Amino acid sequence: MSTAPTREDAQRLDAADPLAAHAARFERAEGVVAYFDGNSLGRPVAGTAEEMARFVGHDWGSRLIRSWDEAWMGWPEETGDLVGSAALGAAPGQTVVADSTTVLLYKVLRALADHQVAVDPRRTELVLDTDNFPTDRYVAEGIAAERGLTLRWIDVDPAAGVTLEQVEEAVGPRTGVVLLSHVAYRSGWVADAGPITAAVHDAGGLVLWDTCHSAGSVPVHADDWRWDAAVGCDYKYLNGGPGAPAHAYLARRLHDLPTLRQPVQGWMGRRDPFLMEQGYVPAGGVRSLVSGTPPVVGMLPLRRALRMLQEAGIEQVREKSLRLTDLALQIVDAWPAELGVTVASPRERARRGGHLTLRHPDFREVNARLWERGVIPDFRAPDGLRLGLAPLSTTFVEVWDGLAAVREELGG
Ligand SMILES: *Cc1c(COP(=O)(O)O)cnc(C)c1O
């Protein structure tokens, strides 16, 4: 047991927070004491409702179909570039926003896997870890069945995550594509994304990184780390709203290869779509990842939130994120051992993402009671309470108040 931070300590941290003004620029939720689910569904940026109303009245309601030419047609790449610069460390022209995360994962993973086999027929293995998010595992299973590929599983510690050594051991002359999460959805473990990518490349493989839990909370340097591809959610730390279309990054060196084709060949990803010609010809560049009509309405809140992230700066956001999780760890570490709560997340700052998972056998029931009192973490079976401390929208006092409620519900 160490000295417990007081509520005044938390207030002091808020007063000294250079991003405090940003936290004040989110919609305040009636009756919510502490929102610890910004890693599942980020809060709306204030003014989103008004912007959507203007959109319905003007862009859609008055400009009507003319808006496609005036603006919308380019939104997948334009919004993609915003994600790329604000969150992914990606130079323009390599990121698009389109489809759900699951659909984009399918399109990009299959494109990469087919490419690998086309170049070298021995490369029939998809490598992934057992604690990857369910959708990632299921998509890989489906592609393996569809294309006659083999899944090679890396067994990881669910309280930590995949290591460089484990990846080095798993890859070789049969490796097609490695699919890993940059930040693990359960523990918050930050994978060694640069060195792992280099190790996979040395073995002749390609890597698809899932950025659902890193985009907007942990800096990504996709270009510098020589990433091949990434897919991630835009409704978590990027505050795009429920079901906001996801982002996909594809490194420029992989564009326009005749062997690298995404499988859903729709007209909006075709060259000159309005010529309505026979035969599919990819549009070229990252536009080729688009299939059908872009989900324009779903990009609207996201674009607003991305501009805010851009302005705050991802390095500053990361610094605040670490301070928030530092505070949460200090609070939990000061709880009496009899309370029975353990931490199932990395403690080392460099390994720690934007969320923490605590474990206790009663957390399922505790979580339900917390939600009733406006303290909103999420429960992850079998006994995990996940605290997603979205750095732009969460205050230090919120962390303190929320954890005080957790302790109280545990009878401590
Ligand atoms: C949230 C999440 C998803 C969700 O995929 P959707 O298609 O948006 O439902 C996928 N992968 C990871 C790692 C996630 O955290």
Side-chain angles (χ1 to χ4, degrees):
M1 196 167 141
S2 49
T3 33
T6 62
R7 194 166 193 276
E8 289 66 39
D9 292 332
Q11 281 168 333
R12 270 192 291 276
L13 286 166
D14 277 323
D17 173 17
L19 294 180
H22 291 82
R25 276 165 57 195
F26 285 87
E27 291 291 344
R28 278 298 133 188
E30 214 48 47
V32 172
V33 176
Y35 188 58
F36 292 160
D37 248 329
N39 62 332
S40 248
L41 178 63
R43 305 171 78 136
V45 177
T48 298
E50 293 76 5
E51 190 170 333
M52 293 192 86
R54 271 196 305 278
F55 174 88
V56 173
H58 180 263
D59 303 50
W60 177 14
S62 304
R63 296 310 297 160
L64 293 161
I65 201 169
R66 292 172 289 185
S67 281
W68 278 110
D69 290 334
E70 290 164 6
W72 302 335
M73 202 52 88
W75 276 27
E77 297 99 313
E78 203 185 300
T79 314
D81 282 344
L82 274 173
V83 176
S85 65
L88 299 181
Q94 303 176 97
T95 313
V96 276
V97 169
D99 310 315
S100 69
T101 309
T102 303
V103 171
L104 275 181
L105 272 169
Y106 172 75
K107 286 160 65 170
V108 176
L109 182 57
R110 226 197 80 167
L112 296 177
D114 286 355
H115 167 74
Q116 287 290 77
V117 172
V119 171
D120 178 351
R122 291 171 309 163
R123 296 201 173 272
T124 55
E125 278 185 3
L126 302 180
V127 178
L128 67 168
D129 71 281
T130 47
D131 206 40
N132 229 325
F133 189 83
T135 227
D136 303 54
R137 290 183 268 122
Y138 305 158
V139 163
E141 278 174 29
I143 290 174
E146 191 179 29
R147 309 305 276 171
L149 306 175
T150 310
L151 297 179
R152 185 177 179 121
W153 295 97
I154 301 175
D155 252 309
V156 301
D157 173 0
V162 69
T163 65
L164 172 61
E165 294 67 35
Q166 285 175 315
V167 174
E168 282 171 340
E169 233 167 78
V171 294
R174 302 183 62 81
T175 305
V177 187
V178 178
L179 169 63
L180 299 171
S181 284
H182 181 211
V183 171
Y185 82 101
R186 204 193 297 265
S187 69
W189 169 271
V190 181
D192 238 335
I196 287 176
T197 301
V200 175
H201 287 171
D202 285 347
L206 296 174
V207 195
L208 170 53
W209 287 100
D210 183 313
T211 45
C212 282
H213 286 281
S214 57
S217 91
V218 174
V220 174
H221 300 283
D223 288 346
D224 290 349
W225 293 337
R226 295 201 47 83
W227 278 12
D228 301 302
V231 169
C233 294
D234 291 334
Y235 52 78
K236 293 174 176 168
Y237 291 106
L238 294 178
N239 306 89
H247 58 265
Y249 163 89
L250 186 67
R252 194 177 298 282
R253 64 183 177 279
L254 296 174
H255 291 188
D256 307 326
L257 303 176
T259 44
L260 204 152
R261 288 277 193 97
Q262 64 93 354
V264 188
Q265 300 185 161
W267 73 304
M268 279 288 173
R270 192 196 187 279
R271 190 199 300 162
D272 300 324
F274 290 99
L275 297 181
M276 312 278 176
E277 278 178 322
Q278 291 301 331
Y280 176 80
V281 184
V286 82
R287 179 76 187 195
S288 306
L289 291 180
V290 173
S291 296
T293 302
V296 168
V297 181
M299 286 188 224
L300 201 62
L302 171 64
R303 290 159 66 91
R304 184 178 187 84
L306 287 168
R307 286 190 284 267
M308 195 210 271
L309 175 63
Q310 184 88 280
E311 182 193 301
I314 188 68
E315 298 295 338
Q316 285 248 73
V317 166
R318 171 63 169 163
E319 189 48 41
K320 177 170 179 192
S321 167
L322 287 168
R323 289 195 190 140
L324 287 165
T325 48
D326 280 344
L327 175 68
L329 283 170
Q330 282 158 17
I331 292 170
V332 173
D333 285 344
W335 286 353
E338 308 86 79
L339 215 56
V341 172
T342 55
V343 175
S345 291
R347 286 176 172 278
E348 194 193 327
R349 273 183 143 214
R351 284 273 162 260
R352 203 197 301 155
H355 66 272
L356 295 175
T357 294
L358 308 179
R359 298 182 62 194
H360 189 284
D362 296 341
F363 271 156
R364 188 187 295 273
E365 297 74 31
V366 164
N367 188 59
R369 293 201 298 275
L370 287 168
W371 278 36
E372 277 169 33
R373 53 190 283 191
V375 173
I376 312 180
D378 68 19
F379 174 74
R380 282 289 174 268
D383 58 2
L385 195 72
R386 211 171 53 156
L387 311 173
L389 310 180
L392 269 180
S393 58
T394 308
T395 65
F396 292 91
V397 164
E398 209 176 341
V399 171
W400 199 95
D401 288 346
L403 283 170
V406 173
R407 179 173 177 172
E408 207 176 283
E409 290 296 341
L410 286 169

